[in-house]
Amino acid sequence: MTRTLPAVDLRVPTHEDAFAWHRVFDDPDVMEFLGGRAAAAELSVHHEATARQRMHDAELGYCLWSLVNGEGEVMGFAGAQPWRHPWGPVGEIEIGWRLGRAYWGKGYATAAALTTVDRLREAGVPSVVAMVDALNTRSIAVTRRLGMELAETFVTPTGRQGHCFRLVL
């Protein structure tokens, strides 16, 4: 039986989306593989992130877009951006997604990731990576649905084991 994915709306994050990201990600389950609740605690982090994504969209034609439901509520984000850290796949474009807990298990992450892949192909991006904590089975499942392959295993600066998945577009 083939599962029908939900329709998704991805938009460039607005200044107001910083408040929504802060609210949706202020959940220990959502942040489990990203440093826990402390990583989502500061609203200023989300203001900086949404501003950076607007800049990426203007300069690159893609970013981490806000994922919005039919009622206009921000469910999280999905998209791509240049890898920002001095370790890992330096120089690569990372695809990623993060959704509020209420939206898990409904196909939104996969649908948004597939839409992202389509947009990146249109933008001429040759390949993407997804950096995923080795214990994050939900995100690993999304990478598999995208057709990504495990490129390498690594240890993060915090000592966690992770995987770098790759997809040639």
Side-chain angles (χ1 to χ4, degrees), residues 79 92-97 113-114 116-117 120-121 127-132 139-151 163-169:
E92 301 274 359
I93 303 302
E94 180 192 26
I95 186 172
W97 46 86
L114 287 167
T116 296
V117 166
L120 294 173
R121 279 189 181 115
S127 66
V128 293
V129 297
M131 300 294 281
V132 182
S139 281
I140 291 170
V142 174
T143 67
R144 298 295 189 207
R145 289 184 205 111
L146 294 176
M148 299 185 91
E149 295 185 10
L150 182 61
H163 298 305
C164 177
F165 293 91
R166 182 175 308 282
L167 179 65
V168 175
L169 303 178

Side-chain angles (χ1 to χ4, degrees), residues 31-165:
M31 300 305 293
E32 176 182 3
F33 303 109
L34 301 164
R37 184 178 290 260
E42 295 296 324
L43 178 60
S44 63
V45 169
H46 299 291
H47 279 296
E48 184 227 318
T50 55
R52 184 174 55 251
Q53 298 314 314
R54 289 189 295 277
M55 180 189 70
H56 286 327
D57 184 71
E59 293 177 358
L60 304 171
Y62 56 86
C63 64
L64 294 175
W65 295 287
S66 286
L67 175 57
V68 183
N69 68 16
E71 290 78 46
E73 298 169 328
V74 173
M75 298 185 284
F77 66 65
Q81 65 179 347
W83 178 251
R84 301 179 28 212
H85 307 287
W87 57 274
V90 175
E92 301 274 359
I93 303 302
E94 180 192 26
I95 186 172
W97 46 86
R98 186 182 316 160
L99 278 67
R101 178 70 181 94
Y103 306 103
W104 291 2
K106 298 177 175 145
Y108 289 113
T110 299
L114 287 167
T115 299
T116 296
V117 166
D118 289 343
R119 289 182 180 187
L120 294 173
R121 279 189 181 115
E122 290 173 12
V125 175
S127 66
V128 293
V129 297
M131 300 294 281
V132 182
D133 187 288
L135 299 177
N136 189 343
T137 57
R138 292 179 303 274
S139 281
I140 291 170
V142 174
T143 67
R144 298 295 189 207
R145 289 184 205 111
L146 294 176
M148 299 185 91
E149 295 185 10
L150 182 61
E152 75 177 282
T153 299
F154 62 94
V155 176
T156 69
T158 61
R160 295 186 67 105
Q161 184 178 16
H163 298 305
C164 177
F165 293 91

Side-chain angles (χ1 to χ4, degrees), residues 15-29:
H15 174 77
E16 291 76 25
D17 287 350
F19 298 99
W21 288 15
H22 179 68
R23 184 186 75 259
V24 172
F25 302 150
D26 187 25
D27 178 322
D29 288 339

